[in-house]
Amino acid sequence: SSSSSSSDSGGGGGGVQHSTLRGHTGAVQGCCFSPAEDQVLSCGDDGTLRRWRVADGAPLQVLSAGSTLNHPSILYRCCWAQTGTAVFATGDIPSVLMWKKKNQPKIPAACVCRPALAFSSGHTGPITGLVSTADGLHIVSVSAEDHTARLFRRSSNSSSSKP
């Protein structure tokens, strides 16, 4: 659940906190805004990717890496395809997870996404960074452990698990 607050964040010209996003059961490792800036994704040590509504901090959806990978995983980074058609996450495994809305061009506020597609990134260590192009077709993953950045082109065929 979320809670509201109107405390000033301090500092010169800072903002006013209006929500605390609660729900992760471990450390929160990453977050990002949706292209329309009306939703936030967060990911963390509990292996979940969570969607929240910006207006009131309400939880919208929980996606689990464990249900796709069949084992627990820590998620370090998440990003949203700028078209709003897919969300991506990665963590302590050398794979990128993608959730895409079933039969819809956009992920609406109340979406139920199909199970994640996982594809091997070729990294030999955990992925520590992830970014997608505006159309969601190109993804770059980075690993601090293997000292590489890898560029992928995701297949436009939604049944494919390869980028």
Side-chain angles (χ1 to χ4, degrees):
S1 71
S2 64
S3 63
S4 294
S5 170
S6 60
S7 64
D8 190 327
S9 64
V16 175
Q17 177 185 329
H18 72 84
S19 296
T20 300
L21 309 178
R22 298 187 195 279
H24 285 283
T25 58
V28 178
Q29 298 288 345
C31 64
C32 65
F33 282 99
S34 68
E37 299 179 355
D38 60 343
Q39 295 177 36
V40 172
L41 284 177
S42 62
C43 62
D45 287 1
D46 61 1
T48 63
L49 181 70
R50 295 172 183 264
R51 289 189 318 115
W52 312 88
R53 187 171 36 237
V54 169
D56 59 6
L60 299 173
Q61 186 174 28
V62 178
L63 301 166
S64 173
S67 63
T68 299
L69 300 171
N70 296 318
H71 63 78
S73 179
I74 295 171
L75 297 178
Y76 296 134
R77 300 288 180 262
C78 56
C79 69
W80 208 298
Q82 293 301 304
T83 56
T85 58
V87 293
F88 304 94
T90 191
D92 63 348
I93 52 159
S95 298
V96 175
L97 302 174
M98 176 186 74
W99 286 268
K100 188 173 179 183
K101 176 70 174 126
K102 289 182 182 177
N103 304 319
Q104 297 292 325
K106 300 277 184 184
I107 297 179
C111 95
V112 176
C113 295
R114 74 167 144 241
L117 300 173
F119 61 87
S120 174
S121 67
H123 288 289
T124 58
I127 298 172
T128 54
L130 183 68
V131 67
S132 168
T133 56
D135 61 8
L137 292 178
H138 290 90
I139 302 163
V140 175
S141 61
V142 298
S143 174
E145 190 171 300
D146 71 11
H147 307 252
T148 65
R150 297 175 186 255
L151 175 64
F152 299 92
R153 178 173 170 80
R154 184 174 59 84
S155 170
S156 59
N157 178 349
S158 62
S159 66
S160 172
S161 63
K162 299 242 179 204

